């Protein structure tokens, strides 16, 4: 007496025999599953890139305003602050006991549509993204001279810049700016490795350089005096910064984080806002995530449609296979063998489709991943087949088997009713 | 071998088509069961084969009572002791010729052991096929590549493998032309003799009757006949 014995093999041979139908069914399933898994990967990548943009930063401090606005301009360089933070306040907070480091940010200038950030070497030392990665130089190094600029990977690639190139910064943040700081050209001193964060699309100069290019400027416009400024004259000036736009804070002890946030939010000398980026980004993602959830839902639906093709193909073949079932019965197959045969066939198709979807997905990522990464700023290259894929395939197989219960039940009933006499 | 007493059967919602007070078949006996189309021959084979559930006590095969068995045991009993040949479409299109012949060994330990005892199931399958004139590259072919006559011989080899005690043949020659028909029948009877199996051979074609130990007209044993 045999158990399931010959059934899996028979199911395999039966599926393999109907090459064209099987192939089309498998293709439908694999494409739908590749879509679903692809959406999941992009979602994961996007979420991780988003939430880990400033993973090493404990607090971001700016002038009093909305949390979201502060994050947007200080991290993503979107929008502008309503006010700045005075240098004195920055210095005071920087000197507080449990603050390990700060990275000042001076925003407001641009270069060919890319934002310019005034900062210090602390940026290259302390800025962390992803899982604790610090920025690395693909070439060159940090600021050595007043007119040194360090550029992000996208800036270098899109504008074709190399170390040593001379560039001119623009006042304001429009793509086309009419106020050029063209009397004070900068030299590209360093190019950063790709980070998958907004840093890739940023040019960094020292805070002193920001002061320098604004010598003679008043309320955002150059005066007569600004025109006369030359690099040599500027070098002779005292370029002590008077304000920063915002600053990142790293704490030496996380336990003090909430206390410090409260202290800064109620700072007496100046109205300030301090946000914890990990929490704020998480909350922002929950809002943005609606899009991604919709997309997941739609792609899940497509998978279901793919699985329905299995059901259709089995149901339509049922009548022409009635004879085959009664032959199996005559040979000694039990009715549940017939049932199991059809369920196994469906599961097999889903399994093949699922495995093929991995080939399509990861093949596609290997080929098109870099393009997607740079186009969307989503980190995908680290994506490997994982538990999610295994679970998705398993679920698809289970779902197909479940759907196949309908035709299998019909075949089971037929095989009981037909006896040896199938009336065709 | 087969003992029928008081067998009645009606398809669900249909009239009674079988009412057989008594009928029996001796071991090694090969009988010709004839009757017009629609008289219930296939139905009777289904009952004997236990594919249809006979009422308990009505059909005894090899001393066993398939009607009293659970569905699973009845299926196992059929797999182990019976070989069946149909009129046509006997073979699974997705298995090769030789795999089709080996199929009963996968559903029955008994048949598998019997085939193994004759020198291995695969060589036994090839031996049977060879005796029936099918060999060489035909073995690995799908059944669809064979003529109808060849397909019937493959079906016969499959019914014979593992030497089941009882063969049921439901109009196995009806799809064959005159020449292949007599050749097939001769082979069938020879192989039956060689394995020592009993045989119920169903047909509406009277001209074949002379080759059997006995001819039974279904209408003679069946009181339900109109
Ligand atoms: N699977 C079935 N379901 C319902 N009625 C059936 C079935 N098979 C056969 N019958 C009916 O039983 C009667 C006998 O059929 P059958 O046993 O196939 O006769 P034969 O084999 O002698 O031609 C016919 O009236 C047929 O319509
Ligand atoms: Mg019939």
């Amino acid at each position: 007496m045999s158990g399931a014995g010959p059934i899996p093999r028979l199911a395999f041979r039966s599926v393999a025999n109907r090459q064209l139908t099987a192939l089309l069914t498998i293709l439908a399933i694999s494409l739908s599953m590749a879509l679903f898994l692809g959406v999941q990967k992009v979602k994961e990548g996007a979420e991780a890139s988003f939430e880990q943009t400033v993973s090493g930063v404990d607090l971001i401090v700016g002038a009093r305003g909305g949390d979201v606005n502060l994050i947007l301009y200080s991290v993503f360089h979107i929008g502008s602050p309503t006010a700045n933070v005075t240098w004195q306040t920055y210095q005071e907070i920087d000197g507080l006991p449990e603050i390990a480091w700060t990275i000042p940010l001076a925003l407001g200038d641009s270069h060919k549509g890319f934002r310019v950030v005034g900062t210090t070497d602390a940026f290259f030392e302390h800025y962390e993204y992803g899982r604790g990665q610090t920025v690395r130089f693909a070439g060159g190094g940090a600021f050595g001279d007043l007119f040194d600029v360090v550029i992000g990977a996208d800036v270098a690639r899109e504008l074709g810049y190399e170390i040593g190139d001379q560039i001119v910064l623009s006042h304001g943040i429009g793509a086309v700016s009419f106020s050029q700081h063209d009397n004070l050209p900068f030299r590209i001193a360093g190019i950063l490795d790709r980070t998958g964060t907004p840093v890739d699309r940023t040019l960094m100069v020292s805070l002193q350089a920001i002061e320098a290019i604004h010598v003679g400027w008043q309320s955002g416009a150059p005066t007569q005096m600004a025109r006369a400024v030359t690099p040599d004259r500027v070098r002779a000036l005292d370029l002590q910064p008077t304000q920063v736009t915002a600053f990142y804070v790293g704490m030496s002890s996380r336990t003090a984080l909430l206390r410090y946030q409260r202290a800064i939010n109620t700072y007496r000398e100046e109205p300030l806002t301090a946000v914890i980026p990990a929490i704020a980004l998480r909350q922002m993602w929950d809002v943005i995530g609606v899009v991604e959830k919709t997309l997941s839902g739609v792609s899940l639906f497509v998978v279901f449609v793919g699985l329905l093709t299995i059901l259709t193909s089995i149901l339509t073949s049922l009548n022409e296979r009635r004879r085959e079932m009664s032959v199996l019965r005559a040979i000694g197959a039990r009715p549940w063998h017939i049932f199991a045969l059809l369920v196994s066939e469906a599961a097999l198709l889903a399994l093949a489709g699922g495995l093929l979807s991995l080939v399509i997905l990861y093949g596609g990522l290997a080929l098109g991943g870099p393009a997607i990464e740079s186009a969307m700023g989503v980190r995908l290259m680290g994506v490997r087949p994982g538990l999610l894929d295994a679970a998705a395939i398993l679920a698809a197989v289970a779902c197909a088997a479940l759907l196949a219960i309908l035709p299998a039940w019909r075949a089971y009933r037929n095989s009981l009713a037909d006896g040896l006499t199938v009336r065709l | 071998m087969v003992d029928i007493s008081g067998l009645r059967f009606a398809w669900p919602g249909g009239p009674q088509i079988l009412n057989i007070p008594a009928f029996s078949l001796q071991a090694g006996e090969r009988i010709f069961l004839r009757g017009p189309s629609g008289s219930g021959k296939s139905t009777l084979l289904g009952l004997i084969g236990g594919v249809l559930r006979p009422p308990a006590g009505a059909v005894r095969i090899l001393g066993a009572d398939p009607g009293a068995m659970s569905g699973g045991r009845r299926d196992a009993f059929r797999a182990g002791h019976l070989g069946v040949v149909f009129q046509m479409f006997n073979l699974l299109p997705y298995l090769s010729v030789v795999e089709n012949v080996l199929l009963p060994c996968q559903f029955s330990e008994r048949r598998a052991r019997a085939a193994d005892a004759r020198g291995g199931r695969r060589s036994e399958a090839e031996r049977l096929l060879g005796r029936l004139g099918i060999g060489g590259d035909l073995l690995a072919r799908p059944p669809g590549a064979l003529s109808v006559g060849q397909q019937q011989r493959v079906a016969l080899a499959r019914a014979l493998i593992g030497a089941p005690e009882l063969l049921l043949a439901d109009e196995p020659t009806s799809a064959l032309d005159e020449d292949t028909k007599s050749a097939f029948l001769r082979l069938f009877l020879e192989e039956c003799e060689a394995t020592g199996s009993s045989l119920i051979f169903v047909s509406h074609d009277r001209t074949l009757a002379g080759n059997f130990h006995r001819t039974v007209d279904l209408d003679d044993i069946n009181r339900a006949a109109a």
Side-chain angles (χ1 to χ4, degrees):
Chain A
M1 188 55 226
S2 54
I7 293 303
R9 219 178 64 87
L10 286 180
F12 177 77
R13 297 296 298 271
S14 162
V15 166
N17 188 246
R18 281 168 289 138
Q19 285 168 5
L20 190 62
T21 342
L23 220 67
L24 287 175
T25 311
I26 290 170
L27 204 66
I29 294 162
S30 63
L31 287 176
S32 69
M33 284 194 64
L35 176 69
F36 172 75
L37 290 173
V39 166
Q40 301 308 309
K41 300 298 163 191
V42 171
K43 172 191 132 184
E44 276 171 25
E47 184 171 354
S49 316
F50 183 80
E51 289 181 9
Q52 299 176 351
T53 313
V54 285
S55 57
V57 176
D58 294 320
L59 280 175
I60 299 177
V61 182
R64 173 78 44 88
D67 290 3
V68 171
N69 192 41
L70 175 54
I71 294 269
L72 284 180
Y73 70 71
S74 68
V75 176
F76 296 102
H77 309 318
I78 296 169
S80 355
T82 49
N84 289 330
V85 179
T86 63
W87 184 253
Q88 193 191 349
T89 297
Y90 166 62
Q91 285 294 303
E92 270 172 31
I93 294 175
D94 182 53
L96 292 176
E98 274 159 302
I99 284 179
W101 49 260
T102 59
I103 300 173
L105 307 167
L107 305 169
D109 293 286
S110 65
H111 174 74
K112 299 196 173 164
F114 294 100
R115 297 287 189 114
V116 172
V117 177
T119 185
T120 62
D121 285 336
F123 181 89
F124 306 110
E125 205 176 312
H126 298 299
Y127 177 84
E128 281 180 12
Y129 64 97
R131 297 204 174 85
Q133 288 123 295
T134 53
V135 293
R136 277 186 322 226
F137 285 90
F143 319 126
D145 180 71
L146 180 60
F147 293 108
D148 276 354
V149 56
V150 172
I151 62 176
D154 285 346
V155 179
R157 191 172 48 86
E158 283 178 35
L159 299 179
Y161 287 164
E162 284 167 18
I163 305 286
D165 286 354
Q166 298 271 327
I167 63 169
V168 166
L169 307 186
S170 314
H171 190 75
I173 52 184
V176 180
S177 175
F178 295 104
S179 314
Q180 306 285 344
H181 298 291
D182 47 7
N183 48 341
L184 301 172
F186 279 73
R187 190 189 72 94
I188 294 174
I191 297 176
L192 297 178
D193 264 337
R194 165 173 298 283
T195 62
T197 71
V199 170
D200 295 344
R201 308 187 64 78
T202 314
L203 298 89
M204 275 145 288
V205 299
S206 66
L207 287 176
Q208 286 72 25
I210 293 288
E211 289 301 317
I213 58 177
H214 293 108
V215 167
W217 286 56
Q218 259 165 26
S219 42
T223 62
Q224 280 306 104
M225 181 191 148
R227 292 268 149 249
V229 170
T230 65
D232 289 337
R233 283 191 200 163
V234 154
R235 283 180 204 280
L237 298 175
D238 172 23
L239 294 171
Q240 171 61 43
T242 57
Q243 53 189 18
V244 297
T245 311
F247 54 96
Y248 296 158
V249 175
M251 309 282 301
S252 53
S253 133
R254 295 242 167 158
T255 53
L257 188 55
L258 287 174
R259 184 158 52 81
Y260 269 71
Q261 185 191 21
R262 211 173 318 115
I264 294 170
N265 276 329
T266 56
Y267 197 67
R268 228 171 267 131
E269 317 298 319
E270 195 176 344
L272 296 176
T273 294
V275 300
I276 299 172
I279 295 176
L281 288 172
R282 171 83 253 169
Q283 287 168 347
M284 285 167 77
W285 181 260
D286 285 344
V287 177
I288 305 169
V290 173
V291 177
E292 149 268 304
K293 283 201 187 73
T294 312
L295 213 58
S296 285
V298 170
S299 64
L300 200 63
F301 205 74
V302 174
V303 171
F304 189 70
V305 172
L307 290 176
L308 277 184
T309 62
I310 297 187
L311 181 63
T312 321
S313 79
I314 290 185
L315 264 179
T316 49
S317 73
L318 217 54
N319 255 336
E320 71 196 45
R321 296 184 63 184
R322 216 159 154 162
R323 186 77 223 193
E324 172 193 335
M325 302 304 164
S326 90
V327 166
L328 278 169
R329 289 278 287 136
I331 288 168
R334 302 174 50 176
W336 78 261
H337 279 132
I338 306 291
F339 185 88
L341 177 67
L342 291 179
V343 169
S344 316
E345 286 184 17
L348 208 64
L349 286 168
L351 182 66
L355 294 178
L356 184 60
S357 80
L358 292 189
V359 174
I360 293 174
L361 176 64
Y362 290 101
L365 278 182
L367 293 178
I372 298 173
E373 272 194 358
S374 60
M376 312 205 308
V378 171
R379 264 177 282 141
L380 289 174
M381 293 321 285
V383 176
R384 296 271 169 277
L387 226 60
L388 173 79
D389 304 295
I393 293 176
L394 231 74
V397 169
C399 211
L402 223 62
L403 284 173
I405 285 181
L406 175 68
W409 178 248
R410 281 184 59 176
Y412 176 94
R413 295 300 306 262
N414 287 346
S415 80
L416 283 179
D418 283 346
L420 294 179
T421 56
V422 177
R423 291 174 302 168
L424 296 170
Chain B
M1 172 60 59
V2 178
D3 264 299
I4 293 178
S5 59
L7 172 65
R8 290 158 194 261
F9 186 83
W11 285 99
Q16 189 175 67
I17 55 163
L18 291 177
N19 176 3
I20 303 177
F23 170 76
S24 65
L25 176 75
Q26 305 308 311
E29 195 178 15
R30 299 190 287 278
I31 69 160
F32 184 74
L33 179 65
R34 62 158 302 278
S37 181
S39 58
K41 304 184 295 296
S42 298
T43 305
L44 178 58
L45 289 190
L47 287 161
I48 293 171
V51 178
L52 298 172
R53 188 183 196 118
V59 176
R60 299 189 72 83
I61 299 169
L62 296 160
D65 180 0
M69 293 177 185
S70 69
R73 296 224 5 252
R74 208 164 54 239
D75 293 327
F77 184 81
R78 174 173 65 259
H81 301 281
L82 271 66
V84 181
V85 183
F86 296 110
Q87 179 175 348
M88 53 183 2
F89 305 122
N90 273 287
L91 307 174
L92 301 190
Y94 46 83
L95 297 183
S96 71
V97 162
V98 77
E99 287 168 331
N100 261 286
V101 173
L102 285 166
L103 208 50
C105 298
Q106 302 204 295
F107 285 98
S108 165
E109 272 298 317
R110 210 196 76 88
R111 302 267 298 265
R113 265 188 276 112
D116 286 342
R118 293 172 179 234
R121 58 190 87 167
R122 195 178 166 98
S123 66
E124 172 67 0
E126 289 179 10
R127 187 189 66 80
L128 282 167
L129 282 165
R131 293 260 301 259
L132 296 168
I134 294 183
D137 58 350
L138 284 183
L139 295 180
R141 291 273 193 82
L146 274 58
S147 72
V148 179
Q150 288 172 321
Q151 288 183 27
Q152 288 303 85
R153 279 180 272 155
V154 175
L156 179 55
R158 185 178 64 195
L160 290 166
I161 196 162
E165 290 92 333
L166 177 61
L167 293 179
L168 304 176
D170 194 353
E171 315 220 23
T173 55
S174 302
L176 306 180
D177 56 49
E178 284 306 319
D179 294 343
T180 34
K181 186 186 287 184
S182 48
F184 177 76
L185 186 61
R186 189 165 39 74
L187 281 171
F188 198 144
L189 293 169
E190 273 174 30
E191 288 310 312
C192 223
E193 174 105 61
T195 45
S197 306
S198 309
L199 168 66
I200 301 178
F201 189 103
V202 162
S203 178
H204 58 263
D205 184 353
R206 292 168 191 276
T207 61
L208 304 174
N211 303 289
F212 294 83
H213 293 148
R214 179 153 71 99
T215 296
V216 176
D217 204 316
L218 182 58
D219 289 349
D220 291 345
I221 58 167
N222 182 16
R223 291 221 188 121

